[in-house]
Amino acid sequence: MPSSVHEIRPKPSDSEKITINLGFVDLGQVDLMVQEGFYSNRTDFIRTAIRNQLERHADVVKQSTARKSLDLGLRNYSREDLEAARRAGEMLHINVLGLATIAQDVTPELARATIASVSVLGALHASPAVKSALADRTR
């Protein structure tokens, strides 16, 4: 019988897990808001609070993003992108606010040959070998 097993790549997460420490009274107040039905769970409360603060400071974020020449959102760097930069003799400066992804088939050597600097406010997804190769170029 032929095998019908296919390797399934896990879907990359569209969020990053963080850990915060809250005082007991603050945590109790969050739990009360959840219990009273204002929020579905602690995570919903925290996400809403963060979004409210980001909305409150949206002008500052927009100005800083422009001043620092940050790409906003998702930015993917494929092996083909980096090989094209190498052929053109260009070095990339990765400046992202959001998620920067360097493809899994990018070798550490190709990354070092084509990426001059990495500054990511958010998350950088790349193989451990590529992250290690770029460690001295990452802010």
mmCIF file of all heavy atoms in Angstrom, residues 2 7 10 18 27 43 60 70 76 87 89-90 100 106 114-115 118 121 126-127 132:
data_model
loop_
_atom_site.group_PDB
_atom_site.id
_atom_site.type_symbol
_atom_site.label_atom_id
_atom_site.label_comp_id
_atom_site.label_asym_id
_atom_site.label_seq_id
_atom_site.Cartn_x
_atom_site.Cartn_y
_atom_site.Cartn_z
ATOM 1 N N PRO A 2 0.653 2.203 -0.932
ATOM 2 C CA PRO A 2 1.479 3.407 -0.982
ATOM 3 C C PRO A 2 1.247 4.280 0.245
ATOM 4 O O PRO A 2 0.156 4.362 0.784
ATOM 5 C CB PRO A 2 1.033 4.120 -2.259
ATOM 6 C CG PRO A 2 -0.240 3.496 -2.682
ATOM 7 C CD PRO A 2 -0.351 2.165 -1.985
ATOM 8 N N GLU A 7 4.620 15.434 4.912
ATOM 9 C CA GLU A 7 5.132 16.311 5.966
ATOM 10 C C GLU A 7 4.319 17.593 5.953
ATOM 11 O O GLU A 7 4.119 18.217 4.923
ATOM 12 C CB GLU A 7 6.602 16.644 5.708
ATOM 13 C CG GLU A 7 7.192 17.508 6.777
ATOM 14 C CD GLU A 7 8.648 17.829 6.512
ATOM 15 O OE1 GLU A 7 9.303 17.103 5.765
ATOM 16 O OE2 GLU A 7 9.107 18.834 7.072
ATOM 17 N N PRO A 10 4.335 23.339 10.191
ATOM 18 C CA PRO A 10 3.469 24.075 11.110
ATOM 19 C C PRO A 10 3.244 25.491 10.592
ATOM 20 O O PRO A 10 4.152 26.116 10.053
ATOM 21 C CB PRO A 10 4.241 24.083 12.422
ATOM 22 C CG PRO A 10 5.637 23.721 12.079
ATOM 23 C CD PRO A 10 5.611 22.985 10.770
ATOM 24 N N ILE A 18 4.300 36.590 25.111
ATOM 25 C CA ILE A 18 5.102 37.354 26.056
ATOM 26 C C ILE A 18 4.641 36.999 27.467
ATOM 27 O O ILE A 18 3.545 36.482 27.666
ATOM 28 C CB ILE A 18 5.007 38.877 25.829
ATOM 29 C CG1 ILE A 18 3.579 39.384 26.060
ATOM 30 C CG2 ILE A 18 5.485 39.259 24.436
ATOM 31 C CD1 ILE A 18 3.469 40.899 26.113
ATOM 32 N N LEU A 27 -4.023 41.850 39.203
ATOM 33 C CA LEU A 27 -4.486 40.591 38.632
ATOM 34 C C LEU A 27 -5.906 40.271 39.099
ATOM 35 O O LEU A 27 -6.753 39.835 38.300
ATOM 36 C CB LEU A 27 -3.534 39.450 39.004
ATOM 37 C CG LEU A 27 -3.870 38.083 38.407
ATOM 38 C CD1 LEU A 27 -3.897 38.138 36.890
ATOM 39 C CD2 LEU A 27 -2.855 37.053 38.892
ATOM 40 N N THR A 43 -6.321 37.229 28.664
ATOM 41 C CA THR A 43 -5.642 37.621 27.425
ATOM 42 C C THR A 43 -6.440 38.681 26.682
ATOM 43 O O THR A 43 -5.868 39.657 26.171
ATOM 44 C CB THR A 43 -5.405 36.389 26.536
ATOM 45 O OG1 THR A 43 -4.574 35.471 27.250
ATOM 46 C CG2 THR A 43 -4.747 36.764 25.217
ATOM 47 N N VAL A 60 2.640 59.343 17.847
ATOM 48 C CA VAL A 60 4.053 59.173 18.205
ATOM 49 C C VAL A 60 4.634 57.961 17.478
ATOM 50 O O VAL A 60 5.739 58.018 16.934
ATOM 51 C CB VAL A 60 4.212 59.016 19.739
ATOM 52 C CG1 VAL A 60 5.631 58.647 20.107
ATOM 53 C CG2 VAL A 60 3.792 60.296 20.436
ATOM 54 N N LEU A 70 11.337 52.626 9.280
ATOM 55 C CA LEU A 70 10.976 51.249 9.579
ATOM 56 C C LEU A 70 9.919 50.749 8.605
ATOM 57 O O LEU A 70 8.966 51.468 8.292
ATOM 58 C CB LEU A 70 10.417 51.140 11.003
ATOM 59 C CG LEU A 70 11.369 51.489 12.138
ATOM 60 C CD1 LEU A 70 10.607 51.598 13.453
ATOM 61 C CD2 LEU A 70 12.457 50.436 12.247
ATOM 62 N N ASN A 76 9.215 39.659 4.542
ATOM 63 C CA ASN A 76 9.833 38.357 4.305
ATOM 64 C C ASN A 76 11.052 38.510 3.402
ATOM 65 O O ASN A 76 10.979 39.198 2.382
ATOM 66 C CB ASN A 76 8.834 37.401 3.644
ATOM 67 C CG ASN A 76 7.647 37.123 4.526
ATOM 68 O OD1 ASN A 76 7.807 36.684 5.653
ATOM 69 N ND2 ASN A 76 6.460 37.400 4.029
ATOM 70 N N ARG A 87 24.094 39.435 -6.071
ATOM 71 C CA ARG A 87 24.448 39.670 -7.483
ATOM 72 C C ARG A 87 24.587 41.158 -7.785
ATOM 73 O O ARG A 87 25.437 41.564 -8.568
ATOM 74 C CB ARG A 87 23.402 39.047 -8.412
ATOM 75 C CG ARG A 87 23.496 37.552 -8.555
ATOM 76 C CD ARG A 87 22.631 37.016 -9.685
ATOM 77 N NE ARG A 87 21.226 37.344 -9.539
ATOM 78 C CZ ARG A 87 20.344 36.632 -8.830
ATOM 79 N NH1 ARG A 87 20.739 35.554 -8.188
ATOM 80 N NH2 ARG A 87 19.084 37.008 -8.757
ATOM 81 N N GLY A 89 25.538 43.359 -5.671
ATOM 82 C CA GLY A 89 26.567 43.934 -4.813
ATOM 83 C C GLY A 89 26.005 44.821 -3.722
ATOM 84 O O GLY A 89 26.682 45.731 -3.244
ATOM 85 N N GLU A 90 24.767 44.565 -3.320
ATOM 86 C CA GLU A 90 24.101 45.374 -2.298
ATOM 87 C C GLU A 90 24.096 44.659 -0.955
ATOM 88 O O GLU A 90 24.062 43.441 -0.900
ATOM 89 C CB GLU A 90 22.655 45.657 -2.703
ATOM 90 C CG GLU A 90 22.500 46.448 -3.970
ATOM 91 C CD GLU A 90 21.033 46.599 -4.382
ATOM 92 O OE1 GLU A 90 20.159 45.990 -3.728
ATOM 93 O OE2 GLU A 90 20.782 47.301 -5.364
ATOM 94 N N ALA A 100 9.804 40.268 10.932
ATOM 95 C CA ALA A 100 10.755 40.041 9.838
ATOM 96 C C ALA A 100 11.051 38.549 9.799
ATOM 97 O O ALA A 100 11.351 37.942 10.824
ATOM 98 C CB ALA A 100 12.037 40.825 10.058
ATOM 99 N N VAL A 106 17.771 29.927 3.698
ATOM 100 C CA VAL A 106 18.886 30.883 3.652
ATOM 101 C C VAL A 106 20.006 30.344 4.538
ATOM 102 O O VAL A 106 19.796 30.025 5.701
ATOM 103 C CB VAL A 106 18.442 32.283 4.127
ATOM 104 C CG1 VAL A 106 19.635 33.205 4.306
ATOM 105 C CG2 VAL A 106 17.433 32.881 3.151
ATOM 106 N N THR A 114 24.989 39.275 2.705
ATOM 107 C CA THR A 114 24.007 40.204 2.129
ATOM 108 C C THR A 114 23.282 41.087 3.144
ATOM 109 O O THR A 114 22.616 42.040 2.746
ATOM 110 C CB THR A 114 22.944 39.426 1.333
ATOM 111 O OG1 THR A 114 22.337 38.458 2.188
ATOM 112 C CG2 THR A 114 23.561 38.744 0.126
ATOM 113 N N ILE A 115 23.397 40.794 4.430
ATOM 114 C CA ILE A 115 22.674 41.575 5.435
ATOM 115 C C ILE A 115 23.682 42.330 6.295
ATOM 116 O O ILE A 115 24.462 41.725 7.026
ATOM 117 C CB ILE A 115 21.773 40.673 6.302
ATOM 118 C CG1 ILE A 115 20.731 39.967 5.415
ATOM 119 C CG2 ILE A 115 21.097 41.488 7.390
ATOM 120 C CD1 ILE A 115 19.896 38.922 6.133
ATOM 121 N N VAL A 118 20.477 44.364 11.246
ATOM 122 C CA VAL A 118 19.115 43.902 11.536
ATOM 123 C C VAL A 118 18.618 44.659 12.758
ATOM 124 O O VAL A 118 19.234 44.616 13.822
ATOM 125 C CB VAL A 118 19.074 42.382 11.831
ATOM 126 C CG1 VAL A 118 17.653 41.938 12.157
ATOM 127 C CG2 VAL A 118 19.639 41.579 10.673
ATOM 128 N N LEU A 121 11.752 45.629 15.702
ATOM 129 C CA LEU A 121 10.897 45.907 16.854
ATOM 130 C C LEU A 121 9.674 45.021 16.673
ATOM 131 O O LEU A 121 8.826 45.294 15.835
ATOM 132 C CB LEU A 121 10.513 47.385 16.898
ATOM 133 C CG LEU A 121 11.682 48.349 17.035
ATOM 134 C CD1 LEU A 121 11.222 49.786 16.842
ATOM 135 C CD2 LEU A 121 12.337 48.174 18.390
ATOM 136 N N ALA A 126 13.923 33.364 11.994
ATOM 137 C CA ALA A 126 14.992 32.854 11.138
ATOM 138 C C ALA A 126 15.531 31.601 11.808
ATOM 139 O O ALA A 126 15.279 31.369 12.995
ATOM 140 C CB ALA A 126 16.093 33.897 10.965
ATOM 141 N N SER A 127 16.282 30.829 11.050
ATOM 142 C CA SER A 127 16.857 29.630 11.652
ATOM 143 C C SER A 127 17.844 30.035 12.750
ATOM 144 O O SER A 127 18.421 31.130 12.704
ATOM 145 C CB SER A 127 17.571 28.802 10.583
ATOM 146 O OG SER A 127 18.755 29.460 10.175
ATOM 147 N N SER A 132 22.378 33.291 14.690
ATOM 148 C CA SER A 132 23.724 33.281 15.278
ATOM 149 C C SER A 132 24.718 34.011 14.360
ATOM 150 O O SER A 132 25.544 34.782 14.820
ATOM 151 C CB SER A 132 24.160 31.854 15.523
ATOM 152 O OG SER A 132 25.461 31.814 16.035
#
